Amino acid sequence: NNVFFTRPSAGQWHHYAFVFDTTAPAAQQIVPYVDGQPVSYTKTASGTGAGAFAKSTLYMMSRGGQALFGRGTLDEVAIYNRALSATEIAEHDASQGLNRRPHAALTAAPNPAETSEQIQLDASGSSDPDGTITRYQWDLDGNGSFETDTGTTPTTSTSFAQAGQKTVTVRVLDNGFATDTETKTVTVNEPESPPPPPVSYSQQVLATPGLTHYWRFEENPGATSLADSVGSSVATTGGGTTLGLLGSLGSGAAGFDGIDDFARAPVDLSGTNQLTIEFWLRWNAFADDDALALELTENFNQNDGGFIVDPNAGQGSFGVGIGSPDTRNNVYFARPSAGQWHHYAFVLDPTAPAPQQITPYVDGKPVAYEKGASGVGTGPFANAPLYFMSRAGGALFGAGTLDEVAIYDRDLTAAQIAGHFAANTG
C-alpha cells in the first residue's frame, strides 16, 4: 500500500508527517502531511492485510546503511504508536520548539452590516495553551498586511464604504513569539432604501417587511377583545383592563393596574428562528418584583421556545430573556424613567452567536447591557399564548399603559428601529 505526492521545494526546511494505519480502509492506510497540511496523492498499490509493524532497525537516510543514501539535514524525528489527528499535526508544524502556538478566535458584529456601519471585532476568545497573548494585530482591508496593532487590547472596529464580501483577520502573538490567525468574512450591504415619508407611526410599522402581528389597542372602553391588525391572533382581556386611554400616538392604549389586569393572544411562532418585539410602554413605577410586560408561554422557565420582557428584573435592571433554563440567554440594562412613554424594541435571534442573541433598543437606540446567561440551542420560538402584563394571567402583573405591540419574524435593523421611533417623535 503506497502513496505518491508532489515534492515540495528543495533546499528549504519542511515539516513532514505520515500517518500509517494498516487497520484503515485501503484508500486511507497512508495519509501524508507537508508543512502541517494534508496533501493530495495518488496510489499505485492499495493492498491490505499488512498487519502490525516490525521489531527491527530504523535506518535514517539510507537503506541498511549501505545504499540509497539520502543527502540533506534531518531533525526532530518522532514516532507515535497511534494515528495523530490533522489538528495535532498542524499544531506541531506551527509550534516553535517547546513553545506551543496560541489559538486565535474572532467575532464580528453586526454581520451582515451596512456600508459605513461600525463593525466591532473581538478576539478576546483567543487563548495560549502554555503562556500569554502579548499582541493583537489586524488586517482590516483583506490585503494580507497587518497594519493595525492594538497591543494587548483584543478589540477594534472598522467599517466599509462599499458593499460586498469583506475579510478581516486577527493575528495573535504569544510571549514566545509564536503566532496564529483567524479570518472572518463580513457581508456588507447597501442601506435599505428609506420608506416614503409616513402619515403616521402605524403606517411605517405596517410597511415594514416581516410584520406578523400588530395589536394597536384602538378598541373602545368596555371591549374584551383586541384586534390583530396583521394576523388572526385576536387578544382577549382579563381582570379590569382599561381601554380607550390616551396612548403614545395620541390614540387608544390599554391600561393595566398591576393587580389582576392582563391580556392574552394565541400566536404560532413555531416556524420562527428570528424575532423582533416592538412596543410603547409607560411603566408606572419600577420595583424588583419581576412584574412582567410580556411573556411567551405560560412560563418561559418551564416551556421551550418562550421569551420574557421583565421591567422589574431586580437590582435596578430591565431584563429580557429567551430559552429554557438549560439554553437560557438573557440581557440586563438600566431602566429608563418611569411614568413616561418609552419605545422598546428587542431583536431576539437564537441563530446568532451567544453574545448577540438579544439586542435591546430604547427610544430608537441600542442600549448597553450586561449578560446573566449566554446559553445557546434555544431553537425556534413556540406556538403558545403571548401574555401582556402578567405571567399566564395569574401572577407577576405589570402596572402601566401599553400600546402598539408588534411582532416581526426577522431581525429589524438599527436603522428601521430608529426610523419607527422617529416617526412618532420627529
Side-chain angles (χ1 to χ4, degrees), residues 126-144:
S126 303
S127 61
D128 184 42
D130 60 354
T132 58
I133 295 175
T134 60
R135 179 164 292 177
Y136 296 84
Q137 298 173 327
W138 308 85
D139 174 11
L140 302 179
D141 55 11
N143 68 352

Side-chain angles (χ1 to χ4, degrees), residues 92-409:
H92 289 187
D93 172 65
S95 66
Q96 297 187 358
L98 297 178
N99 178 40
R100 297 176 64 191
R101 66 168 177 164
H103 296 286
L106 178 61
T107 63
N111 187 10
E114 294 182 350
T115 55
S116 301
E117 183 176 9
Q118 285 295 309
I119 300 167
Q120 302 301 317
L121 304 177
D122 188 346
S124 60
S126 303
S127 61
D128 184 42
D130 60 354
T132 58
I133 295 175
T134 60
R135 179 164 292 177
Y136 296 84
Q137 298 173 327
W138 308 85
D139 174 11
L140 302 179
D141 55 11
N143 68 352
S145 298
F146 294 86
E147 300 94 345
T148 302
D149 189 323
T150 58
T152 58
T153 301
T155 59
T156 190
S157 63
T158 190
S159 62
F160 297 93
Q162 303 296 324
Q165 298 293 108
K166 312 295 183 178
T167 59
V168 291
T169 303
V170 65
R171 179 169 67 189
V172 299
L173 291 80
D174 71 7
N175 58 316
F177 304 105
T179 67
D180 190 32
T181 62
E182 177 76 359
T183 298
K184 288 293 182 185
T185 299
V186 178
T187 301
V188 179
N189 299 318
E190 293 289 349
E192 296 185 13
S193 299
V199 177
S200 66
Y201 172 90
S202 61
Q203 287 187 333
Q204 191 164 145
V205 169
L206 289 166
T208 302
L211 181 66
T212 58
H213 300 285
Y214 187 20
W215 297 275
R216 301 205 57 212
F217 303 106
E218 296 292 314
E219 287 74 16
N220 293 322
T224 58
S225 61
L226 308 171
D228 180 353
S229 300
V230 176
S232 57
S233 296
V234 175
T236 56
T237 63
T241 301
T242 304
L243 298 176
L245 298 179
L246 183 64
S248 59
L249 308 183
S251 54
F256 300 82
D257 62 8
I259 299 173
D260 60 359
D261 293 353
F262 71 95
R264 175 187 184 277
V267 294
D268 185 358
L269 303 176
S270 57
T272 304
N273 286 290
Q274 297 170 310
L275 208 65
T276 300
I277 311 298
E278 183 180 38
F279 56 91
W280 289 85
L281 175 65
R282 184 174 62 195
W283 196 256
N284 287 357
F286 291 112
D288 292 335
D289 58 5
D290 284 321
L292 301 181
L294 295 168
E295 185 170 32
L296 179 66
T297 75
E298 283 82 2
N299 185 327
F300 92 130
N301 296 298
Q302 301 170 2
N303 298 279
D304 291 336
F307 65 74
I308 193 171
V309 178
D310 183 356
N312 284 358
Q315 298 183 2
S317 62
F318 194 121
V320 179
I322 60 175
S324 52
D326 56 341
T327 62
R328 180 62 42 80
N329 194 298
N330 54 26
V331 301
Y332 298 94
F333 58 91
R335 296 165 177 158
S337 53
Q340 298 181 19
W341 282 108
H342 292 285
H343 177 262
Y344 297 88
F346 304 112
V347 177
L348 312 179
D349 188 351
T351 69
Q356 289 89 49
Q357 287 196 5
I358 304 175
T359 306
Y361 295 79
V362 177
D363 294 336
K365 296 180 180 180
V367 293
Y369 58 85
E370 297 180 352
K371 296 197 69 67
S374 295
V376 295
T378 295
F381 292 94
N383 179 358
L386 173 64
Y387 287 93
F388 304 80
M389 307 293 276
S390 79
R391 169 162 286 168
L396 305 183
F397 294 98
T401 311
L402 186 64
D403 200 10
E404 305 288 329
V405 177
I407 297 178
Y408 307 82
D409 62 2

Side-chain angles (χ1 to χ4, degrees), residues 58-70:
L58 173 65
Y59 288 92
M60 303 183 190
M61 308 294 278
S62 76
R63 172 168 282 172
Q66 297 181 357
L68 304 182
F69 293 97

Side-chain angles (χ1 to χ4, degrees), residues 35-53:
D35 295 333
Q37 299 297 319
V39 294
S40 59
Y41 57 86
T42 59
K43 299 183 74 66
T44 63
S46 297
T48 58
F53 292 94

